[in-house]
Amino acid sequence: MCRRVLSKCSLNTSRLGAVPTALGSLSRCPTPLWVQTLSLTPSLTLPCPSSMPSPRVLSLSPESRAQRLPLRSPREGAAGRHDASPQPALLGAEQTQGPQPPLQHLHLHLHLPPPALPMPGAGQRHPRPPSWRRSAQARLRLCPPIVGTEAFPGPCCAEPGAAVMAAALRRLLRAGGRRGAALVAAAAACGPGPQTLRLIYTTTAAWKKNVAASGPEKYTEAFIKKQIEEFNLGKRHLANMMGEDPETFTQEDIDRAIAYLFPSGLFDKRARPMMKHPTEIFPEQRKIQWGEDGRPFHFLFYTGKQSYYSLMHDTYEKLLNVQKHQDQLAAQDLPPQKEKKNLVGSRWLTKTELEEMLLEKLSDDDYSRFIQLLQKLVMMPCGNIEENYIKKFSREISAQLQKVVIEPLKYDEQGVAFSTGEGRRKTSRATVAVYDNGTGKITVNGIDVLHYFPVLQDREQLLFPFQFLDRVGKHDMVCTVSGGGRSSQAGAIRLASAKALRSFVTEKEVEFMRQAGLLTVDPRVKERKKPGQEGARRKFTWKKR
Amino acid sequence: VQVLRWSEVERYQAIWSLTVCILPSQANHTEHHEGRHYSIPLEEVKAVFPHGLPYRFQQQVKTFNEACLMVRKPALELFTYLRNSNFAHPAVRYVIYGERGTGKTMTLCHVVHYCAKQGWLVLHIPDAHLWVKNCKELMQSSYKKERLDQPLQASTWLKNFKTSNEHFLKEIKTQQKYVWGKRESTEQGRPLGEVVEQGLARVRSASDAVGVVLKEIKQQCHLGSFRVLVAVDGVNALWGRTTLKKEDKSPVSPEELTLVYNLRKMMMNNWNGGAIVTTLSQTGSLFKPSSAYLPHELLGKEGFDALDPFVPVLVPNYSQREFESCYHYYLHRKWLQHEQARTEAGKEELRFLSGSNPQQLERLAGPL
């Protein structure tokens, strides 16, 4: 029986293994139906809403449907008859699908919720058809365990894993009974085991997603290689299309070409069409960590966090090295090296970065321990020896705020000192020239301020920088302003005049101005109107019925 | 209650005497009085200005219980012209113009008071704009068929005219007979007061009464027994457009109104023995942009040609000295209650925010 199961599984995998074409890669992403007809150059990937391709794509093609796990009463007979039952035992999320849609000619790519969603209670409220109560053995007999899950099982992993899995299953099924299901699920969920054989009925434990540790790659190496080839080919095609030289077609050129060919008005840059190297699109994954015989390569595999622990080991080894070096120097009575690596402009890796590096999930505790170890290493007097090693885990902090340069005063023909400034507020832009030895006369766009700003509030805004510096009647001002309304123009001129006054004033007063908010650009702009609402915040009138 | 230290009090009084000294209301104001306020006794105010003072100034008079005008350069200029004018020559027309809120009406009032003190006959039309808009009753004139009468406006004006020029009304005699209706008429040689009474009693013929008064005065002033000052505020109304409509909804042009027609005749310089001082005003004007303040813009071609030649008098915003004077006047009157208004910084702030515009300053100082 297991052999039959196995053969079936291999059959399925081989059938589904033929899928990784463009359509298949498209199928990874939750694209609507109509898009799939648009298959362009193969490596073009239409954007996914999440950076990770959707994990589970269930193919409801007629062939695979036939392989589905149909629930049938034991009366109907042994495994072998797999007509498309009207009630296919789909996964919980698809229970609502109902009878199969009659579209036989299309691949309906459905998108299951990612396994991170909590299943409703450990399967208790899971709407199960009544035949669940049959024995686990009978169930296994009936159900071909393979479906085209996201664990796109390459043909290479089917064979080695299958035997192990089959053995495990045999063991579990002997346990039998209702617990069988849970156990089977447990077996399927037992960590980074081979996922070639995977039952559909699993408990919540198996649905929990473990990104880095979710086991062997969802994309095989061959798949990635193929994607890379297609990408390169597509790059050449694109270069030809744009009339550029394929040899010197860089990623920026690609981006520009795509933006030109597929203009998109979407705000989020990540939602726009993009064509990038597959290594940037498909997240790095861990390779299979065990050999053909099922024996893991790394000695720390069974700790569960092999990369993390090996990293800790390595770091501690460096620490011991440093200590040994220190002892040697002490033995030779040489003073320890005092050159300390300057940690000022650098920071340690963040937890996410470390996880990305190790391809493993870490806990906060793990992370902090690692950082503490690194700190200890750096603090030691001879820590410089391992500088190269430490550099791998530190990042430069980019330059802090640029020091704002205050321009010196300029002098016009009459010898009067003046200074210019620019300001903006909402959509207004203002440029201002503040002259010394003035009487407080202000001209805006050639018009006197009393005429341009008849409202008192606007004139108060203009007054504010001068009053703050106690220079109310001492300067003349000539402004040009455009855009916006009266209030925003006043605000723009205020900012511009404050910036211009910096040149007349001491550093301390500049700091006071900054703290008073005179030198800060007001970031408030008009909020966007949302669909389904009348305005940015205002909703439509609520009618009870 | 502000607690002042002794030195501050002294300083206050020093400033006060230099800039704000309330001068007695004498008619001889010369240059060195510029910037100072002078007060007019309230009885005189009632007599000379039954109408004509701006509304806000009237409120201020009521609040402060005194009427204080500032002596400013345009007024002084006009005084020199008036003093040196030859009354044998045709009447000279002076047009006071300036931006909004700079004090044109106040200057005119100053001139009116000056002339009234000197014994001139003052024909003061407080706002010609009131005659060309918002008229509830428009009647067809009995005198000329195509003209329209405005009984209400005419009667109010007659009333005010009576209060301001009582003694003249007894002196001036009519020179011809005027028939007001079937049973009413004024004989020749009757004092003008009777015409005015007639106009007030019979409101229907008030506009014609006004016309008669103007005509009589014009005819008799060249004799030299009295001087006439025609003071019109908002003279650009006479040559603009009206918002009035006839019964058939067709628009009324100004010359179809009796009052305006007669006043226009008064504005011509074909008489001597007096002066015509007018003010342009955008505030009440119709169909004129708010940025217009020059004579040509506000009068239009027709008005400009009618008034040409005239002597333009520009009224600017407050100078430094005038501003200080006004500021100290308010302080003295305890109108500025805010503590910071008393400081130098506060003064600078007021100067900046008002732009040294008298009207803006007055409005700013209100809530303080």
Side-chain angles (χ1 to χ4, degrees), chain A residues 433-454:
Chain A
V434 174
Y435 293 86
D436 210 354
N437 301 335
T439 49
K441 204 170 81 125
I442 300 183
T443 310
V444 184
N445 285 356
I447 303 173
D448 187 42
V449 69
L450 265 183
H451 291 270
Y452 198 82
F453 290 123

Side-chain angles (χ1 to χ4, degrees), chain A residues 442 450-451 459 463 467 472, chain B residues 99 349 352-354 360:
Chain A
I442 300 183
L450 265 183
H451 291 270
R459 275 176 278 145
L463 170 72
Q467 197 183 36
V472 176
Chain B
E99 301 196 342
E349 188 178 334
F352 186 101
L353 288 177
S354 64
Q360 292 292 324

Side-chain angles (χ1 to χ4, degrees), chain A residues 439-440 442 448-451 454 456 459-463 466-467 470 472-474, chain B residues 99-100 290-291 293 317 320 340 345 348-349 351-357 360 364:
Chain A
T439 49
I442 300 183
D448 187 42
V449 69
L450 265 183
H451 291 270
L456 180 68
R459 275 176 278 145
E460 276 177 349
Q461 288 289 300
L462 300 199
L463 170 72
F466 297 99
Q467 197 183 36
D470 286 324
V472 176
K474 299 192 191 143
Chain B
E99 301 196 342
R100 198 190 323 186
S290 61
S291 54
Y293 74 97
N317 282 329
Q320 293 272 37
Q340 280 180 16
E348 291 305 311
E349 188 178 334
R351 198 201 299 269
F352 186 101
L353 288 177
S354 64
S356 298
N357 185 281
Q360 292 292 324
L364 269 181

